[in-house]
């Protein structure tokens, strides 16, 4: 199930979940973070927007006049989106701001602008509808697993966590193949 990052600590400490996944080291002292895999960030844009955009020196610069879809709050993706938008000279005004990455992607899919997505999301985009442009100018983003320090995950969850790095590496290498 999906829970918001603000709910993770309570869910882990009350054992309503065995583990969580997230794109940052968890700040709570009673929650342990373990690195699973790292990967590049991608600029996501609808194919229809990309083909209409004027050609430019860099793929990201091609979208300088296309609205950016930003995230609000402390979402780990917010900083990456804002950094790329600033480099492109995209107006810093409110523009489109949404609460979730899922909503941002839905708006991108509808041709309303572009956003930045993580390496896992990029592998799931429909290539006929969406384009994912790797952003070499941003540092890689890491995916972590979290569990309560005092209550390590049970055997089934431990087995699942042991499989995750291999599965994630295969998924990422399938994208580059």
């Amino acid at each position: 199930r999906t829970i918001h990052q603000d709910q993770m600590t309570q869910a882990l400490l009350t054992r309503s979940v065995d583990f969580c996944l997230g794109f940052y080291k968890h700040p709570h002292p009673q929650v342990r973070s373990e690195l699973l895999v790292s990967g590049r960030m991608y600029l996501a844009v609808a194919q229809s927007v990309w083909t209409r955009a004027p050609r430019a020196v860099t793929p990201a610069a091609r979208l300088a006049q296309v609205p950016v879809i930003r995230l609000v709050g402390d979402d780990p993706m917010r900083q990456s989106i804002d950094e790329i938008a600033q480099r492109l000279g995209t107006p810093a005004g409110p523009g489109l701001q949404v609460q979730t990455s899922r909503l941002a992607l839905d708006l991108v899919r509808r041709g309303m602008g572009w956003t930045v997505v993580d390496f896992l999301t990029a592998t799931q985009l429909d290539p006929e509808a969406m384009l994912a442009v790797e952003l070499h100018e941003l540092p890689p983003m890491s995916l972590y697993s979290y569990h309560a320090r005092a209550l390590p995950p049970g055997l089934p969850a431990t087995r699942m966590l042991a499989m995750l790095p291999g599965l994630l590496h295969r998924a990422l290498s399938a994208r580059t193949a």
Side-chain angles (χ1 to χ4, degrees):
R1 71 182 173 143
T2 302
I3 60 174
H4 192 272
Q5 62 190 20
D6 295 341
Q7 300 167 321
M8 287 182 183
T9 302
Q10 181 179 355
L12 289 165
L13 297 179
T14 60
R15 200 58 183 250
S16 64
V17 297
D18 288 315
F19 68 91
C20 294
L21 302 175
F23 288 107
Y24 60 94
K25 284 188 175 181
H26 202 286
H28 196 282
Q30 293 178 332
V31 174
R32 180 178 172 149
S33 302
E34 292 185 26
L35 177 65
L36 292 174
V37 67
S38 294
R40 289 276 171 205
M41 305 293 290
Y42 289 80
L43 185 146
V45 63
Q47 287 284 6
S48 60
V49 171
W50 182 256
T51 55
R52 287 193 318 259
R55 301 235 182 260
V57 176
T58 65
R62 188 172 180 172
L63 299 173
Q65 300 305 311
V66 176
V68 59
I69 300 172
R70 291 179 163 92
L71 298 175
V72 297
D74 59 354
D75 189 290
M77 297 297 294
R78 180 180 178 187
Q79 183 178 354
S80 298
I81 295 168
D82 290 347
E83 184 177 332
I84 290 297
Q86 185 177 20
R87 286 183 187 184
L88 293 178
T90 303
L96 292 172
Q97 293 185 331
V98 296
Q99 290 284 339
T100 66
S101 298
R102 184 175 290 171
L103 179 55
L105 261 182
D106 191 44
L107 295 175
V108 166
R109 190 175 294 109
R110 295 171 191 268
M112 296 180 70
W114 61 268
T115 196
V116 175
V117 297
D118 62 86
F119 51 95
L120 293 174
T121 302
T123 65
Q124 301 302 310
L125 297 178
D126 174 4
E128 292 193 18
M130 306 272 288
L131 178 70
V133 179
E134 190 170 349
L135 295 169
H136 298 281
E137 58 268 36
L138 290 180
M141 182 173 234
S142 298
L143 179 67
Y144 294 89
S145 67
Y146 314 128
H147 67 268
R149 289 185 186 275
L151 302 165
L155 187 58
T158 301
R159 287 182 179 153
M160 186 181 293
L161 284 168
M163 292 186 319
L164 268 176
L167 290 171
L168 293 169
H169 282 290
R170 283 193 294 280
L172 292 175
S173 47
R175 174 162 178 80
T176 58

